[in-house]
Amino acid sequence: MLRHAGLARHGAMESPEYAMRIFGKLFDAVDFGRKAGGFTALELGPGDSVGMAVILRAQGAAASLHIDVEPFATREVDVYQRIAQCVADPGLAAPDLSHAASFEDVLAACNARYETGGLESLRRVPDESIDFLFSNSVLQAVRRDELEATLRECRRVTRADGVGVHNVDLRDMVGQSLHHLRFSERVWESHWFQSAGFYTNRLRLSELTDLCRRCGFDVSLPEVNRWDRVPIPRQRLAPPYRALSDDDLRAATVRIVLRPAGTALLTQ
């Protein structure tokens, strides 16, 4: 019922056009050491498909890893074949999926792995093995009590000349406003709410960037989209949020770039 209402879907990565558009915004936003080819990528929270594996292979990735908390991704081969065709249309060397008969065939053609152990899967990734780490509307959905550990693992696996780039949605997942900030922490972090399709960790932009820095990243914000004014009267917010700055409360969606602290920006 929630999926039918659009509240519990895990992205829209089954759409070739959408996947290509999101990938372009993330990939084009950054430079990193082996971007020209032969890089290794890690996607956090691929959601409804691992279509990014197809696109990454076409963009020159040697290998990719896609980590989620449950096996949400479709196993329908034709979904990935459509993405491959979409990738090939502008002239990229898409992997050949014409003879793929299974989800495993698709992964093999892309030299990709799909793991669904969440943080435990991330902990098994070798140190400094990832050039390009990315996510789309995922970081805000990581449980508050696991977010710091997740970011520290991201720092551990990122090469010195690698980069992470993340689209983060700071709005509530139902009304695209700040209604989630009206609940007390006890209610919002309860098991029922954490298990619901609308859960986010509710970190505001300044809290998120501070946490990223504590976890060993240099942080930049190439895109911050804000409301003109705070969308909900402060008196309706739970007490911890009432005292936040207007800048924090007006931040709606952001793109955040994370580089290992103390390393120089390497360009192609």
Side-chain angles (χ1 to χ4, degrees), residues 18 40 63 73 84 96-98 100 114 124 132-133 159 162 175 177 179 197 200 204 221 258 265:
Y18 179 80
T40 300
D96 182 6
L97 303 182
S98 59
Y114 178 53
R124 291 194 292 268
F132 178 56
L133 192 155
R159 295 181 188 272
S177 183
H179 294 293
T200 76
R204 299 298 88 200
L221 297 168
L258 304 178
L265 170 63

Short mmCIF file of all heavy atoms in Angstrom, two decimals, residues 18 40 63 73 84 96-98 100 114 124 132-133 159 162 175 177 179 197 200 204 221 258 265:
data_model
loop_
_atom_site.label_atom_id
_atom_site.label_comp_id
_atom_site.label_asym_id
_atom_site.label_seq_id
_atom_site.Cartn_x
_atom_site.Cartn_y
_atom_site.Cartn_z
N TYR A 18 16.01 8.44 -15.91
CA TYR A 18 16.24 8.96 -14.57
C TYR A 18 17.62 8.55 -14.06
O TYR A 18 18.37 9.37 -13.52
CB TYR A 18 15.16 8.45 -13.62
CG TYR A 18 15.32 8.92 -12.19
CD1 TYR A 18 14.90 10.20 -11.81
CD2 TYR A 18 15.89 8.10 -11.23
CE1 TYR A 18 15.06 10.64 -10.51
CE2 TYR A 18 16.05 8.53 -9.92
CZ TYR A 18 15.64 9.79 -9.56
OH TYR A 18 15.79 10.23 -8.27
N THR A 40 37.37 2.24 -9.54
CA THR A 40 36.47 1.36 -8.79
C THR A 40 35.44 2.23 -8.08
O THR A 40 35.79 3.21 -7.43
CB THR A 40 37.24 0.52 -7.76
OG1 THR A 40 38.19 -0.29 -8.45
CG2 THR A 40 36.29 -0.39 -6.99
N ALA A 63 35.40 -1.86 -11.99
CA ALA A 63 34.54 -2.69 -11.13
C ALA A 63 33.66 -1.77 -10.31
O ALA A 63 33.99 -0.59 -10.09
CB ALA A 63 35.38 -3.57 -10.22
N ALA A 73 16.60 -4.44 -5.17
CA ALA A 73 16.83 -4.26 -6.61
C ALA A 73 16.09 -5.32 -7.43
O ALA A 73 16.08 -6.51 -7.09
CB ALA A 73 18.32 -4.31 -6.92
N ALA A 84 21.12 -0.28 -20.68
CA ALA A 84 22.28 -0.42 -21.56
C ALA A 84 22.02 0.24 -22.90
O ALA A 84 22.90 0.91 -23.47
CB ALA A 84 22.64 -1.89 -21.74
N ASP A 96 27.62 -5.42 -23.07
CA ASP A 96 26.73 -6.21 -23.92
C ASP A 96 25.87 -7.11 -23.03
O ASP A 96 26.36 -8.08 -22.44
CB ASP A 96 27.55 -7.06 -24.89
CG ASP A 96 26.67 -7.86 -25.84
OD1 ASP A 96 25.43 -7.68 -25.81
OD2 ASP A 96 27.22 -8.69 -26.60
N LEU A 97 24.60 -6.79 -22.95
CA LEU A 97 23.66 -7.59 -22.16
C LEU A 97 22.69 -8.36 -23.03
O LEU A 97 21.71 -8.90 -22.53
CB LEU A 97 22.88 -6.67 -21.20
CG LEU A 97 23.70 -5.82 -20.23
CD1 LEU A 97 22.78 -5.01 -19.31
CD2 LEU A 97 24.64 -6.69 -19.40
N SER A 98 22.96 -8.42 -24.31
CA SER A 98 22.01 -9.04 -25.24
C SER A 98 21.81 -10.53 -24.94
O SER A 98 20.74 -11.08 -25.24
CB SER A 98 22.48 -8.86 -26.68
OG SER A 98 23.77 -9.43 -26.87
N ALA A 100 22.34 -11.83 -21.80
CA ALA A 100 22.15 -12.02 -20.36
C ALA A 100 20.82 -12.72 -20.11
O ALA A 100 19.78 -12.32 -20.62
CB ALA A 100 22.19 -10.68 -19.64
N TYR A 114 26.66 -7.00 -5.86
CA TYR A 114 25.49 -6.45 -5.16
C TYR A 114 25.41 -7.13 -3.81
O TYR A 114 25.30 -8.35 -3.72
CB TYR A 114 24.23 -6.71 -5.98
CG TYR A 114 22.94 -6.24 -5.36
CD1 TYR A 114 22.78 -4.93 -4.90
CD2 TYR A 114 21.84 -7.11 -5.25
CE1 TYR A 114 21.58 -4.50 -4.35
CE2 TYR A 114 20.64 -6.69 -4.71
CZ TYR A 114 20.52 -5.38 -4.26
OH TYR A 114 19.32 -4.95 -3.71
N ARG A 124 33.26 -4.85 5.12
CA ARG A 124 34.08 -5.87 4.45
C ARG A 124 34.84 -5.33 3.24
O ARG A 124 35.66 -6.04 2.64
CB ARG A 124 33.20 -7.05 4.02
CG ARG A 124 32.66 -7.87 5.19
CD ARG A 124 32.09 -9.19 4.72
NE ARG A 124 30.88 -9.02 3.93
CZ ARG A 124 29.65 -9.02 4.44
NH1 ARG A 124 29.46 -9.17 5.74
NH2 ARG A 124 28.60 -8.87 3.65
N PHE A 132 35.52 6.25 -6.43
CA PHE A 132 34.31 7.06 -6.59
C PHE A 132 33.21 6.41 -5.78
O PHE A 132 32.76 5.31 -6.08
CB PHE A 132 33.94 7.13 -8.08
CG PHE A 132 32.69 7.90 -8.39
CD1 PHE A 132 32.51 9.22 -7.98
CD2 PHE A 132 31.65 7.30 -9.11
CE1 PHE A 132 31.35 9.92 -8.27
CE2 PHE A 132 30.50 7.99 -9.41
CZ PHE A 132 30.34 9.31 -8.99
N LEU A 133 32.77 7.11 -4.74
CA LEU A 133 31.72 6.61 -3.85
C LEU A 133 30.55 7.58 -3.93
O LEU A 133 30.75 8.79 -3.82
CB LEU A 133 32.27 6.52 -2.42
CG LEU A 133 31.44 5.77 -1.38
CD1 LEU A 133 32.37 5.26 -0.25
CD2 LEU A 133 30.35 6.62 -0.77
N ARG A 159 40.09 6.02 -1.49
CA ARG A 159 41.50 6.28 -1.78
C ARG A 159 41.85 7.73 -1.47
O ARG A 159 40.98 8.61 -1.45
CB ARG A 159 41.80 6.01 -3.26
CG ARG A 159 41.65 4.56 -3.69
CD ARG A 159 42.01 4.44 -5.16
NE ARG A 159 41.71 3.13 -5.71
CZ ARG A 159 42.54 2.09 -5.69
NH1 ARG A 159 43.74 2.23 -5.14
NH2 ARG A 159 42.18 0.93 -6.20
N GLY A 162 40.60 9.77 -4.08
CA GLY A 162 39.22 9.47 -4.43
C GLY A 162 38.25 10.51 -3.90
O GLY A 162 38.65 11.50 -3.27
N GLY A 175 5.45 14.98 2.79
CA GLY A 175 4.98 16.26 2.29
C GLY A 175 6.05 17.15 1.71
O GLY A 175 5.78 18.27 1.31
N SER A 177 8.34 18.72 3.19
CA SER A 177 8.41 19.91 4.02
C SER A 177 9.27 19.57 5.25
O SER A 177 10.26 18.84 5.14
CB SER A 177 7.00 20.34 4.42
OG SER A 177 7.02 21.54 5.16
N HIS A 179 7.68 18.47 8.28
CA HIS A 179 6.74 17.88 9.23
C HIS A 179 7.41 16.85 10.13
O HIS A 179 6.97 16.63 11.26
CB HIS A 179 5.56 17.25 8.50
CG HIS A 179 4.70 18.25 7.78
ND1 HIS A 179 3.95 19.18 8.45
CD2 HIS A 179 4.50 18.46 6.46
CE1 HIS A 179 3.30 19.94 7.57
NE2 HIS A 179 3.62 19.52 6.35
N GLY A 197 8.51 3.52 5.93
CA GLY A 197 9.08 3.98 4.67
C GLY A 197 9.38 5.46 4.61
O GLY A 197 9.98 5.93 3.65
N THR A 200 13.68 9.33 8.23
CA THR A 200 14.98 9.93 7.96
C THR A 200 15.62 10.22 9.31
O THR A 200 14.95 10.26 10.34
CB THR A 200 14.89 11.23 7.15
OG1 THR A 200 14.46 12.30 8.00
CG2 THR A 200 13.96 11.10 5.96
N ARG A 204 20.18 18.12 10.34
CA ARG A 204 20.16 19.33 9.52
C ARG A 204 21.52 19.51 8.86
O ARG A 204 22.50 18.85 9.18
CB ARG A 204 19.82 20.54 10.39
CG ARG A 204 18.45 20.48 11.07
CD ARG A 204 17.30 20.41 10.06
NE ARG A 204 16.99 19.05 9.65
CZ ARG A 204 16.34 18.72 8.54
NH1 ARG A 204 15.94 19.67 7.71
NH2 ARG A 204 16.07 17.48 8.26
N LEU A 221 30.04 21.96 -0.69
CA LEU A 221 28.61 21.93 -1.02
C LEU A 221 28.40 22.64 -2.35
O LEU A 221 28.07 23.82 -2.39
CB LEU A 221 27.80 22.60 0.09
CG LEU A 221 27.87 21.94 1.48
CD1 LEU A 221 27.27 22.87 2.53
CD2 LEU A 221 27.14 20.60 1.46
N LEU A 258 32.66 14.85 -0.59
CA LEU A 258 33.53 14.46 0.52
C LEU A 258 34.85 13.92 -0.01
O LEU A 258 34.88 12.97 -0.79
CB LEU A 258 32.85 13.37 1.36
CG LEU A 258 31.45 13.71 1.93
CD1 LEU A 258 30.89 12.50 2.68
CD2 LEU A 258 31.51 14.93 2.83
N LEU A 265 43.27 18.19 -4.20
CA LEU A 265 42.33 17.88 -5.28
C LEU A 265 43.11 17.48 -6.52
O LEU A 265 43.96 18.22 -7.01
CB LEU A 265 41.45 19.10 -5.59
CG LEU A 265 40.58 19.01 -6.85
CD1 LEU A 265 39.57 17.88 -6.70
CD2 LEU A 265 39.88 20.34 -7.10
#
